[in-house]
Amino acid sequence: MHGSRGDVAIEVPFDEHLFLAVPIELRGPSADGTQWAREQIETLQVQPDRVSDLNGVIAQLAGQASLLSPQAFAAFLFCPSGLPGSALVEVFIGRTERTSLADVTVSYPVALPQREHPIYSPSFGTGRAISSLSKLPDGTALGQIRYQHLDHGILVDMSVTASDLTALGAGMPAFEALVNAVSCRPADAAAHA
């Protein structure tokens, strides 16, 4: 996935066997991804225990797409076992005046304390992963991992959210590979490359 934000050229390569890219026009609460969801189940594998409920899978896929932000540079469903997705992934990229991740505030309404650990990217150097757990009004646990890198005024902030905490934990190597594959550079440098 290639594009730009202002004067920043961006590339977000991803593994199509694990991640399903969700187009921007299908993201947000007013979007209707029903037709897109139908097309996906015609061409992609459905989780074996969900094959008998294709209408339910269509509704869930369209609903998952509508939960993703249209402001994200890229958005994906994490589908390691087939459709529907087991996690929502959003990649936000933009310029910032901040010079250190310590200056970037991250707050969640959490049920348990946030846990932070360093991560390393060949493109951005040392960043951080912040995990948190909260509860929805119906009592469902919701896990989130935020991966952040900051380099030369460009902030990469990738959010992974899932109610399936096992899938969230098992997917961490794939999520780290995704955020580490992101590359950003000034658009004028990209034009000359």
Side-chain angles (χ1 to χ4, degrees), residues 13-20 178:
F14 63 96
D15 184 342
E16 294 179 358
H17 296 101
L18 296 175
F19 297 96
L20 173 62
L178 177 63

Side-chain angles (χ1 to χ4, degrees), residues 56-122:
V57 173
I58 291 169
Q60 189 170 357
L61 271 175
Q64 288 175 327
S66 72
L67 293 172
L68 294 164
S69 173
Q71 284 75 41
F73 175 80
F76 306 94
L77 299 178
F78 179 58
C79 306
S81 303
L83 304 175
S86 58
L88 309 178
V89 181
E90 299 169 301
V91 182
F92 296 91
I93 300 171
R95 289 240 179 232
T96 182
E97 297 292 321
R98 295 186 170 91
T99 57
S100 167
L101 284 176
D103 299 331
V104 178
T105 305
V106 179
S107 62
Y108 307 100
V110 295
L112 296 173
Q114 297 177 19
R115 297 180 63 198
E116 182 175 328
H117 69 272
I119 57 172
Y120 180 78
S121 160

Side-chain angles (χ1 to χ4, degrees), residues 33-50:
T34 305
Q35 182 58 38
W36 170 81
R38 274 193 191 94
E39 293 166 3
Q40 300 313 306
I41 67 164
E42 289 174 6
T43 58
L44 300 174
Q45 173 188 344
V46 174
Q47 292 179 11
D49 62 335
R50 299 291 304 271

Side-chain angles (χ1 to χ4, degrees), residues 6 9 16 20 26 31 35 40 45 53 64 76-77 97 105 125-126 132 134 142 146 155 158 166 172-173 177 181 183:
E16 294 179 358
L20 173 62
L26 301 178
Q35 182 58 38
Q40 300 313 306
Q45 173 188 344
D53 181 24
Q64 288 175 327
F76 306 94
L77 299 178
E97 297 292 321
T105 305
T126 301
S132 64
S134 60
L142 189 66
R146 294 274 295 272
L155 176 65
M158 186 176 91
T166 302
M172 287 180 70
S183 66

